[in-house]
Amino acid sequence: MNTKTAFLSAALMVCAGMAQATDYPLTLENCGQTLTFDAAPARTVTVGQGTTEILYLLGLAERVKGTSVWFTDVLPQFAELNAGIARLADNDPSFESVVAARPDLVTVQYEWHIGAQGIVATREMFHDVGVPTYVLPSDCAGKDNSRGSDGTRTEMFSTDSIYRSIEELARIHDVGERGAELIDELKAREAAAIAQARALDLPETASAVFWYSSAEMDIDPYVAGRKGAPGYMMQELGIENVVASDEEWPTVGWESIARADPTVIVLAEMTRRRFPADDVEKKLEFLRTDPVAKEMTAVRENRIVVMDAQAMDATVRAIYGLEELSTALAGFDLSK
């Protein structure tokens, strides 16, 4: 073990040692509501891949009794484990199917599924039948989900909200030590990715656009707003987002994007097939054949990054996306 590794291990042990067993009843504030837990939940149902994977990373798979809303394959290390857990729906589950799984907690990735105008249900509907709901803070902290099709960020997304999700879910389930270990691991990876990109001395004009999907191939695409997880990546790595909107995923015309001529284009890859452009191969075909898009410098120079769709969202995978983009920038040789 080298000196750096020994130091990191020692730091993790100190941090893990600081985590204490949860003292129930536990009360915490969650996205505008007060939740109280008298004991660790034994049966959790997840609505959202992001919250499912946090529970898996915390070693809580045996307590997950149903999952839903999948955009991509589960993290590879959990493939076998995930196959043995009931999938209530690939996309939006019904209120009845979630309740039928007899959960004593429902964890939620997006308020548009379970929230004030939730398409699955409101939080009150679950609370009325005695089931508490926990919404990931990354979808409500500094975000107004009543504006824009996927909500509008009033503040820049911060990975602090991801770490808060992990810490709170670990406390709720009385696995605080594992939560502290996971947070330290992710913070170390985040810092390393940022340091790698900043060492590149990128030109001030370096820019990017993140293309998530399009309702149809010939209409304006859904691209990343400036304050969501991709906006955070670009800010931290030292590149400009050519999209100025505060909406999470606004639609912007290709003519506008082409005029901005982004240095790099990042494409979402997913297994979901709700829209034609969910298929990354269709995105690539469009970029290489559309008379406007194919003239962008990033297309002509093949500066295209394919990134897991969950990494473009406010999830744990945003840290992995940060690493991928940082490494890709190093490969493009964009130095002054």
Side-chain angles (χ1 to χ4, degrees):
M1 180 181 293
N2 60 35
T3 303
K4 183 178 179 181
T5 303
F7 176 79
L8 179 60
S9 297
L12 290 174
M13 290 175 66
V14 169
C15 185
M18 293 171 61
Q20 298 179 345
T22 302
D23 186 14
Y24 297 101
L26 169 67
T27 299
L28 54 82
E29 297 298 318
N30 174 244
C31 294
Q33 299 204 12
T34 301
L35 304 178
T36 298
F37 298 89
D38 294 324
R43 298 181 62 85
T44 298
V45 169
T46 62
V47 180
Q49 182 173 350
T51 182
T52 308
E53 292 183 337
I54 288 178
L55 295 180
Y56 290 172
L57 287 163
L58 289 172
L60 296 167
E62 78 282 357
R63 304 193 207 179
V64 178
K65 305 305 177 185
T67 71
S68 57
V69 191
W70 289 87
F71 286 81
T72 68
D73 291 333
V74 70
L75 287 168
Q77 65 267 38
F78 301 121
E80 183 176 351
L81 178 156
N82 189 60
I85 295 176
R87 180 172 294 202
L88 305 184
D90 289 338
N91 293 306
D92 315 325
S94 67
F95 172 69
E96 292 76 13
S97 69
V98 176
V99 172
R102 298 182 293 109
D104 49 15
L105 174 64
V106 175
T107 60
V108 184
Q109 180 171 348
Y110 303 111
E111 283 193 324
W112 63 269
H113 275 124
I114 298 178
Q117 286 89 38
I119 61 172
V120 174
T122 65
R123 298 184 74 179
E124 287 71 19
M125 289 172 66
F126 280 101
H127 298 178
D128 286 347
V129 296
V131 179
T133 55
Y134 177 88
V135 179
L136 296 187
S138 51
D139 197 53
C140 66
K143 187 181 178 193
D144 181 353
N145 283 310
S146 68
R147 293 191 289 139
S149 59
D150 291 285
T152 298
R153 293 276 172 186
T154 57
E155 300 173 6
M156 177 64 79
F157 162 78
S158 166
T159 50
D160 287 346
S161 63
I162 300 298
Y163 300 136
R164 180 179 172 184
S165 302
I166 295 170
E167 190 273 334
E168 290 183 340
L169 285 170
R171 251 194 312 152
I172 290 169
H173 290 86
D174 195 15
V175 291
E177 182 173 323
R178 175 56 192 146
E181 290 173 349
L182 178 58
I183 289 169
D184 279 354
E185 173 193 329
L186 292 170
K187 283 186 174 181
R189 292 177 64 165
E190 179 184 13
I194 293 170
Q196 174 182 254
R198 290 185 177 175
L200 298 174
D201 192 23
L202 296 172
E204 294 181 358
T205 55
S207 62
V209 64
F210 281 58
W211 180 12
Y212 197 89
S213 190
S214 304
E216 299 292 344
M217 294 306 301
D218 58 352
I219 65 174
D220 296 346
Y222 295 110
V223 292
R226 63 175 182 158
K227 292 182 177 177
Y232 153 81
M233 292 181 203
M234 288 182 266
Q235 173 183 271
E236 294 300 314
L237 300 183
I239 52 181
E240 181 184 0
N241 188 353
V242 300
V243 176
S245 173
D246 289 345
E247 285 190 44
E248 188 88 313
W249 293 103
T251 54
V252 178
W254 281 112
E255 290 78 8
S256 297
I257 296 171
R259 278 197 298 273
D261 199 22
T263 309
V264 176
I265 298 174
V266 186
L267 305 180
E269 183 175 41
M270 66 191 88
T271 54
R272 186 193 75 169
R273 290 294 181 266
R274 178 171 283 180
F275 303 126
D278 287 351
D279 186 341
V280 72
E281 293 301 325
K282 291 188 181 298
K283 293 191 189 82
L284 287 166
E285 180 183 5
F286 175 88
L287 289 176
R288 291 166 179 159
T289 59
D290 180 79
V292 173
K294 72 179 184 181
E295 296 302 325
M296 291 189 286
T297 305
V299 179
R300 289 189 281 104
E301 299 291 332
N302 198 30
R303 292 198 293 258
I304 297 173
V305 179
V306 176
M307 181 181 291
D308 184 281
Q310 279 288 289
M312 292 189 182
D313 220 332
T315 70
V316 167
R317 293 205 197 191
I319 309 296
Y320 312 155
L322 187 74
E323 291 176 323
E324 290 176 25
L325 184 56
S326 177
T327 299
L329 291 172
F332 290 145
D333 189 20
L334 300 173
S335 59
K336 294 176 181 176

